[in-house]
Amino acid sequence: MERKQAEYSNLDERYAIQGEKYQGQQYSHIYFTRLHHMRNLLHALVPSWKPHLPVTTVLGLEEGKDCIIVGTLYKHMKLKPSILDEYSKERSAIPLVKPHNFMHPDDHLILEDESGRVTLAGAIPPAAYVTGVVIALHGKETSAGNFLVEDILEAGIPPQITLPSINEDKYVVFVSGLSIGSEKFNPLQFQLLIDHITGHLGDENEQSIASNIVRVVVAGNSVHISPRFFNGQAVASKDQSRIAEPIKELDIMLTQLVASLPVDMMPGSNDPANFSLPQQPLHRCLFAGAATYNTFSLCSNPHQFELDSVRFIGTSGQNIDDLYKYSDAKDKLEFVERTLRWRHLAPTAPNSLGCYPYTDKDPFLVESCPHVYFVGNQDKYETQLLQGPEKQKVRLICIPRFCDSGVAVMELGVQHVEFLNKLRCLTMLYLSGVQKMELLFNMNGKS
């Protein structure tokens, strides 16, 4: 039984910072670039939205006159952490309480452009937006000097290349949050996943499904190194080997995978990579075994690629986790959808999410709608088929942490297979549109 192949194209070049030279520049450049790019898009949409209204700047507002303004949102948050709070916490005997979400009823939005800034009121809910989003607003200036919002225009889902017709089943496996080295990591659980992907587990039907897997994407947080090794003190010689143990174990397991099929390795917030986005690929010297195979690809975070002209884009989860801290939504999928509608993968960068201080570009702008948009290291598995006004179709996927759930996701186009790897059974859930079929397999292959 032969494994199927797919034509692969890595599109991570836009996230590389090798050609960038840091000269002490501040973050105003990336905000200016973002505003310039998004304003051009929004100006092109205004004639079909409110053709009878003039577009003006913040400085050109006139009291009581209806108009449209375009700018970058700034969210004033009462509970937002500051460096002064961190400093006072270090000097205080009683640590400050750090909430998981910094929302407060007194939060309000401000819109700014090159000419000035104005406080927003009216029909724009602060809970739904974050600092860094560029939008167009219809409204009027009040006597108090605020801008009373009547309607909102977002850039919307970007154009999408036509989804190619797929005449055969091919799958991509997504897994994240392995956390090798943590107390939660179960080696047997991960080995079951490896054995299934490589075709060493299950009956002929299971092996046939495994042969359709054309690629595995590891979406960050693959290792866990104890925080006690990062307290600023010199690491004892006996502990140096302990730091490397999780990476060595990961390399051993990845070597089994890359010997059978291609693997994309993305860094995450807990991995030995740079902290700021875009995270650069992990160094090859960390993977003495897997790096010897040409099927092993070290990728950036965010990661963008194509398989048989199906476009994928995804992150290891930092962008969505940060949105959760500073805004509100019914679930994580709504945050993922918002980033597409705002046409920006990480709108809170660099305000509350670390990123490189680019001077002439913003690599997180979404110029073409992907067919699959995945986010790693989430609390639970969620998926949605999002449809845009121009017949765009994109599959949104929240990939749960494997160490907590034992879940990996297989996907291509709009087909899904969800693996729940447990000690005694393997559950497969197929999703295609609204149709669902569940099969329960025992480890001896009997269904």
Side-chain angles (χ1 to χ4, degrees), residues 84-117:
L84 295 178
D85 294 334
E86 294 296 323
Y87 178 75
S88 63
K89 182 173 68 173
E90 291 177 1
R91 298 181 61 87
S92 174
I94 303 176
L96 299 176
V97 177
K98 189 174 182 180
H100 296 290
N101 185 282
F102 302 105
M103 296 288 296
H104 190 274
D106 295 338
D107 295 343
H108 62 272
L109 295 172
I110 297 170
L111 188 89
E112 61 179 43
D113 59 16
E114 298 96 326
S115 67
R117 55 180 5 208

Side-chain angles (χ1 to χ4, degrees), residues 75 77 79 101-105 107 126-128 325-328:
K75 189 171 184 177
M77 304 188 70
L79 299 180
N101 185 282
F102 302 105
M103 296 288 296
H104 190 274
D107 295 343
K325 293 178 183 177
Y326 298 98
S327 59
D328 191 26

Side-chain angles (χ1 to χ4, degrees), residues 357-391:
Y358 290 95
T359 57
D360 58 352
K361 68 176 183 178
D362 185 350
F364 307 111
L365 291 167
V366 184
E367 299 173 357
S368 176
C369 182
H371 299 111
V372 180
Y373 181 9
F374 63 92
V375 177
N377 298 290
Q378 299 306 300
D379 296 330
K380 62 180 180 179
Y381 168 75
E382 295 178 285
T383 185
Q384 174 189 344
L385 183 62
L386 178 65
Q387 300 192 35
E390 299 176 0
K391 298 183 179 180

Side-chain angles (χ1 to χ4, degrees), residues 20-171:
E20 298 285 335
K21 187 175 182 180
Y22 179 70
Q23 297 178 330
Q25 66 265 27
Q26 298 298 308
Y27 288 102
S28 58
H29 298 88
I30 192 171
Y31 278 123
F32 177 80
T33 302
R34 185 184 307 177
L35 176 59
H36 177 74
H37 177 87
M38 296 300 299
R39 182 165 49 198
N40 290 338
L41 290 175
L42 290 166
H43 279 182
L45 297 174
V46 166
S48 58
W49 179 51
K50 307 275 185 177
H52 60 287
L53 293 176
V55 180
T56 186
T57 62
V58 171
L59 190 61
L61 290 175
E62 298 179 23
E63 182 180 340
K65 183 178 179 180
D66 279 290
C67 63
I68 293 173
I69 56 175
V70 179
T72 306
L73 290 177
Y74 172 77
K75 189 171 184 177
H76 181 81
M77 304 188 70
K78 184 177 182 179
L79 299 180
K80 180 184 175 183
S82 71
I83 187 62
L84 295 178
D85 294 334
E86 294 296 323
Y87 178 75
S88 63
K89 182 173 68 173
E90 291 177 1
R91 298 181 61 87
S92 174
I94 303 176
L96 299 176
V97 177
K98 189 174 182 180
H100 296 290
N101 185 282
F102 302 105
M103 296 288 296
H104 190 274
D106 295 338
D107 295 343
H108 62 272
L109 295 172
I110 297 170
L111 188 89
E112 61 179 43
D113 59 16
E114 298 96 326
S115 67
R117 55 180 5 208
V118 62
T119 301
L120 303 179
I124 180 168
Y129 291 92
V130 292
T131 296
V133 178
V134 180
I135 57 174
L137 299 175
H138 164 219
K140 65 185 74 173
E141 186 182 21
T142 66
S143 58
N146 299 330
F147 188 79
L148 185 63
V149 178
E150 297 181 14
D151 202 358
I152 304 170
L153 174 66
E154 300 174 348
I157 300 174
Q160 185 182 56
I161 60 174
T162 304
L163 182 68
S165 58
I166 303 173
N167 299 322
E168 55 182 342
D169 290 336
K170 292 182 182 179
Y171 303 117

Side-chain angles (χ1 to χ4, degrees), residues 235-341:
V235 180
S237 57
K238 64 178 181 179
D239 291 330
Q240 291 180 1
S241 61
R242 296 180 182 178
I243 295 177
E245 282 177 3
I247 301 175
K248 290 181 178 178
E249 186 173 354
L250 173 63
D251 180 43
I252 292 172
M253 293 187 161
L254 287 176
T255 302
Q256 299 178 56
L257 281 174
V258 297
S260 178
L261 78 168
V263 175
D264 284 0
M265 185 74 184
M266 296 170 58
S269 58
N270 296 338
D271 294 324
N274 60 301
F275 169 78
S276 299
L277 294 180
Q279 287 185 293
Q280 300 303 285
L282 297 168
H283 202 284
R284 297 188 71 85
C285 70
L286 298 174
F287 307 98
T292 60
Y293 290 82
N294 60 6
T295 52
F296 185 54
S297 299
L298 292 162
C299 307
S300 63
N301 172 33
H303 179 35
Q304 187 172 345
F305 63 97
E306 286 186 0
L307 279 174
D308 287 347
S309 299
V310 178
R311 180 162 296 183
F312 295 75
I313 191 170
T315 72
S316 295
Q318 295 100 315
N319 59 331
I320 302 304
D321 293 340
D322 205 59
L323 287 177
Y324 172 72
K325 293 178 183 177
Y326 298 98
S327 59
D328 191 26
K330 67 179 184 295
D331 52 33
K332 291 292 186 71
L333 280 177
E334 186 173 352
F335 289 128
V336 179
E337 179 181 342
R338 286 177 187 172
T339 60
L340 270 186
R341 297 191 184 280

